[in-house]
Amino acid sequence: MTTSSTYHGAFLTVGMLVTGTLNTLLTKLQDKQCVGNCSDPDPSKREYFEQPVWQTLNMFYGEMLCLLCFYLFSKRSNQVENRDEYEPIVDQDEVNEQIAQDVPTTDGLPVVESGSEPVSELKPVVGWAALLMWIPAACDLLGTTLMNVGLFFTTASVYQMLRGAVVIFSGLFSVLFLGHRLERFQIISIMMVVVGVTIVGLSNVISPAPHSYNTKDGENSEAVDADLWKATLGVSLVLGAQIFTASQFVVEEKILRRYHLTPLRAVGLEGSFGALSVMIAIPILHFAIGRTHPGGYFDAPGGFRQIIDNPSVWQTSIYIMLSIAFFNYFGLSVTRYLSATSRATIDTCRTLFIWMSSLALGWESFNWIQVVGFVVLVYGTFVYNRVLKLPF
């Protein structure tokens, strides 16, 4: 490997790690922004930004930027071809292999065997065929919204660790719907992930992080019980959301087995269809639920005012949107120039950086139970992704 290639790989790795870490931390930071009664001396009476639907829309806007990048790169490529008056030679089989491994998501995907058809037999995604990407976009919408709500009640590190449970459901669904056959080491690794996720979840329930921005000093037993209930709810929502995320993976792979679709364009299409779906759902949810629950998750005018009237909220929205776009770009580039396994490894490592950052920011306290769960979870994930081998 040349020096330039080494620097390029390091740049992509650092870029994916930094943008992925910032994405989760910025989302948690946005949750902590006070949007009402901020001058009240009683913290429990202050209102904080809790708008999961608007945050989901923000995520899809970030993915839409990938579609813009796709068209810009395509235009540049065409200009180079026209200028040089020759057709560049591209190893289409290699490209297809990368596409099959690199299913478009906002997070790293566990490495699975693809079994795709040769590129020459794949159909182009034109016309109505592009609407197929609306299906995984709908799964992404449901999963992301549930995770956004779950993040209100969990710490950033626990939230990120629990997302590792997607390995469990993606492995199961790949067998049921894609005809994959899990090998012995994959079955064992999934069992390890189950154990790790369970330990992490219990650590958050047994020792829930105090919602210091929502309570007063000297909490009574009722406040502690409320924190316990919120911690349990947060864990349940994040874990439940992985069912939709795993469904998204399965549908994406199903589509990419039949159609020739570059990952960058796939991410952009999902973002476009997802954003359109959210914009349609916002007024419907407002009139169905939001009007009778002012200030709640589905109060569309209230959520919009909170964004517009608070610079800290709309500014973090822009940063989150950009972090998502760059995270997807770096992730796709890592898979293309390094490997899908490298992407999965980096994505697992960013959980550690999120945890370290949360501790440094004082958002959570150190928990040895969480350490044990994290180690088991990471080891199981690495074995599943063939980064490590079982000693037996």
Side-chain angles (χ1 to χ4, degrees):
M1 180 179 290
T2 63
T3 304
S4 60
S5 298
T6 302
Y7 287 150
H8 187 219
F11 171 73
L12 295 176
T13 299
V14 173
M16 181 181 172
L17 193 60
V18 171
T19 55
T21 300
L22 285 176
N23 177 242
T24 298
L25 294 177
L26 286 170
T27 303
K28 188 62 179 180
L29 176 63
Q30 190 176 59
D31 294 343
K32 291 176 173 289
Q33 300 305 307
C34 181
V35 294
N37 300 325
C38 299
S39 60
D40 196 308
D42 184 355
S44 63
K45 294 182 179 180
R46 298 172 188 171
E47 298 178 16
Y48 293 85
F49 186 75
E50 296 183 346
Q51 297 293 335
V53 179
W54 287 103
Q55 288 178 323
T56 300
L57 178 62
N58 194 49
M59 180 207 70
F60 283 127
Y61 282 154
E63 291 186 354
M64 285 177 62
L65 292 178
C66 292
L67 193 61
L68 176 62
C69 292
F70 168 77
Y71 287 119
L72 289 176
F73 291 155
S74 298
K75 183 177 180 180
R76 180 184 176 186
S77 178
N78 292 334
Q79 289 176 344
V80 171
E81 291 178 21
N82 294 333
R83 182 186 63 195
D84 296 339
E85 296 182 351
Y86 75 94
E87 187 71 21
I89 299 175
V90 179
D91 188 347
Q92 291 289 356
D93 291 333
E94 180 181 350
V95 172
N96 183 56
E97 182 181 355
Q98 295 293 353
I99 292 172
Q101 288 183 332
D102 192 19
V103 180
T105 62
T106 54
D107 283 294
L109 173 68
V111 180
V112 293
E113 298 297 327
S114 59
S116 297
E117 298 293 335
V119 168
S120 58
E121 299 181 15
L122 294 176
K123 303 175 184 178
V125 179
V126 294
W128 293 101
L131 295 178
L132 289 173
M133 296 306 294
W134 211 318
I135 302 174
C139 296
D140 197 5
L141 189 160
L142 295 172
T144 301
T145 303
L146 285 176
M147 285 190 287
N148 286 337
V149 177
L151 185 56
F152 296 154
F153 309 122
T154 61
T155 62
S157 64
V158 169
Y159 161 85
Q160 194 65 39
M161 291 178 193
L162 293 176
R163 296 183 69 173
V166 71
V167 172
I168 303 169
F169 299 108
S170 62
L172 176 62
F173 291 170
S174 67
V175 172
L176 295 177
F177 304 112
L178 296 176
H180 290 175
R181 186 174 181 179
L182 296 179
E183 299 181 28
R184 172 178 169 273
F185 77 90
Q186 291 176 311
I187 297 175
I188 295 176
S189 64
I190 288 177
M191 294 173 62
M192 295 177 66
V193 171
V194 171
V195 173
V197 168
T198 301
I199 295 174
V200 170
L202 287 176
S203 72
N204 191 63
V205 173
I206 295 173
S207 302
H211 294 73
S212 57
Y213 53 91
N214 230 3
T215 57
K216 295 187 293 185
D217 293 335
E219 291 181 309
N220 54 31
S221 60
E222 293 182 359
V224 173
D225 290 341
D227 277 347
L228 180 61
W229 181 86
K230 290 178 180 178
T232 305
L233 176 62
V235 169
S236 301
L237 289 173
V238 176
L239 288 178
Q242 304 318 304
I243 297 176
F244 295 104
T245 303
S247 301
Q248 175 191 350
F249 290 169
V250 171
V251 175
E252 286 168 341
E253 184 172 342
K254 201 81 170 180
I255 293 172
L256 294 178
R257 280 184 171 188
R258 294 187 177 185
Y259 294 91
H260 184 217
L261 184 64
T262 59
L264 200 59
R265 185 186 176 203
V267 174
L269 287 175
E270 280 194 22
S272 301
F273 292 138
L276 180 59
S277 300
V278 175
M279 287 188 289
I280 294 174
I282 284 177
I284 296 175
L285 291 171
H286 172 70
F287 286 106
I289 306 174
R291 287 192 304 174
T292 57
H293 297 78
Y297 296 158
F298 305 113
D299 182 4
F304 185 74
R305 283 194 300 270
Q306 289 180 1
I307 297 173
I308 298 300
D309 295 341
N310 295 274
S312 59
V313 174
W314 62 259
Q315 288 173 3
T316 51
S317 293
I318 294 175
Y319 299 147
I320 291 170
M321 181 174 62
L322 292 175
S323 70
I324 290 172
F326 280 108
F327 177 67
N328 275 285
Y329 170 76
F330 283 121
L332 299 176
S333 299
V334 164
T335 302
R336 177 174 295 276
Y337 295 107
L338 299 178
S339 68
T341 302
S342 298
R343 180 180 180 180
T345 304
I346 296 168
D347 193 65
T348 302
C349 291
R350 76 175 170 125
T351 302
L352 179 61
F353 279 80
I354 292 171
W355 192 6
M356 293 168 57
S357 300
S358 296
L359 290 172
L361 292 169
W363 290 356
E364 56 184 282
S365 55
F366 188 80
N367 189 327
W368 277 108
I369 301 178
Q370 188 177 342
V371 174
V372 175
F374 176 65
V375 171
V376 176
L377 175 61
V378 170
Y379 186 75
T381 303
F382 278 0
V383 171
Y384 186 87
N385 289 328
R386 298 182 174 88
V387 178
L388 298 175
K389 291 184 178 181
L390 291 172
F392 52 87

